[in-house]
């Protein structure tokens, strides 16, 4: 019942964090943290929508950095074995 009356505009957040595709990963992650945002709209050099960068994307990048050349799944197993 309520879902037929509820629209995206009624619940969405209009306070967006926008970043550019050429920005440094660390800088964007810092902006997400500082602004307490879960995602950022990524713009190309013309200011057009390029994509969305999420905190999950940032976490995945961190895992890849920590794993280095290792397979991320193997890296996880290595550090979680008891």
């Amino acid at each position: 019942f309520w879902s037929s009356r509820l629209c995206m505009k009624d619940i969405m957040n209009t306070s967006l964090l926008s970043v550019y595709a050429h920005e440094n990963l660390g800088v964007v992650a810092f902006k997400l943290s500082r602004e307490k945002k879960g995602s950022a709209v990524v713009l190309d050099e013309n200011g057009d929508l390029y994509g969305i960068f999420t905190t999950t994307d940032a976490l995945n990048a961190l895992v890849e950095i920590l794993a280095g050349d290792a397979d991320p799944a193997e890296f996880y197993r290595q550090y979680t074995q008891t």
Side-chain angles (χ1 to χ4, degrees):
F1 173 73
W2 63 267
S3 63
S4 63
R5 295 183 186 180
L6 192 59
C7 297
M8 289 299 299
K9 67 179 183 147
D10 298 327
I11 61 170
M12 69 181 202
N13 184 342
T14 58
S15 172
L16 301 175
L17 174 62
S18 298
V19 298
Y20 286 93
H22 67 270
E23 286 190 63
N24 177 279
L25 172 63
V27 171
V28 173
F30 177 77
K31 287 179 180 181
L32 285 173
S33 176
R34 182 186 64 207
E35 300 294 324
K36 301 200 182 324
K37 301 286 185 186
S39 60
V41 175
V42 182
L43 307 174
D44 66 14
E45 61 276 354
N46 298 317
D48 295 324
L49 180 64
Y50 186 79
I52 298 173
F53 182 77
T54 68
T55 52
T56 299
D57 296 327
L59 185 57
N60 288 338
L62 175 61
V63 168
E64 287 185 26
I65 290 167
L66 292 174
D69 292 333
D71 173 41
E74 180 57 36
F75 175 80
Y76 175 77
R77 280 190 292 278
Q78 177 183 345
Y79 287 97
T80 58
Q81 291 178 355
T82 55

